[in-house]
Amino acid sequence: MAETANRLICASADLANSGKAVRFEATDAHGHVVSALVFRYQGRIFAYHNSCRHIPVELDLTDGEVFDLTGHYLVCSMHGALYHPESGLCVGGPCRGQRLTPLNVSERDGQVFCVTAAARGDTEKNGER
Ligand code: FES
């Protein structure tokens, strides 16, 4: 199993159920820095690239407000595509059937981390396997 590295994103207490998401920067498969969101839904945390599958704009535009009024779907602020928070599947709108790009996140000791494959020289390595 490959080693992983954890990068601190925020405190667990920053993520309320169906509440405001926390924005952070992640690296995509090509090594480009991309905008990302982490949020809590029904007690669990999830993270995705902050990019709509219809047009690659940020879902929340600026502020982490990404849940719809029901608190059960993520909504794109541009044209209203609805995504299921657990799967990232678009269930309504112009990109129905497509999925947000997921990111690995973990939560321990009251903190939320982005989990990535460890690069040589990473200082905070995760020894858990
Ligand atoms: S850009 Fe998100 S629904 Fe059109």
Side-chain angles (χ1 to χ4, degrees), residues 11-13 15 40 43-45 105-113:
S12 294
L15 301 177
R40 189 179 305 279
R44 297 171 53 208
I45 58 169
V105 286
S106 68
E107 185 172 29
R108 68 180 147 78
D109 301 328
Q111 296 182 309
V112 174
F113 298 89

Side-chain angles (χ1 to χ4, degrees), residues 3-27:
E3 284 190 49
T4 57
N6 294 318
R7 185 166 52 91
L8 179 64
I9 301 172
C10 62
S12 294
D14 294 339
L15 301 177
N17 271 318
S18 298
K20 197 168 181 173
V22 169
R23 295 162 61 102
F24 65 102
E25 290 186 339
T27 305

Side-chain angles (χ1 to χ4, degrees), residues 52-57 59 76-81 83 94-95:
C52 186
R53 296 311 303 258
H54 176 217
I55 296 170
V57 298
L59 293 172
C76 175
S77 57
M78 186 65 73
H79 305 117
Y83 295 92
C95 43

Side-chain angles (χ1 to χ4, degrees), residues 81-100:
L82 295 174
Y83 295 92
H84 195 275
E86 291 180 304
S87 66
L89 178 67
C90 180
V91 296
C95 43
R96 178 187 287 266
Q98 297 186 53
R99 286 181 193 273
L100 298 174

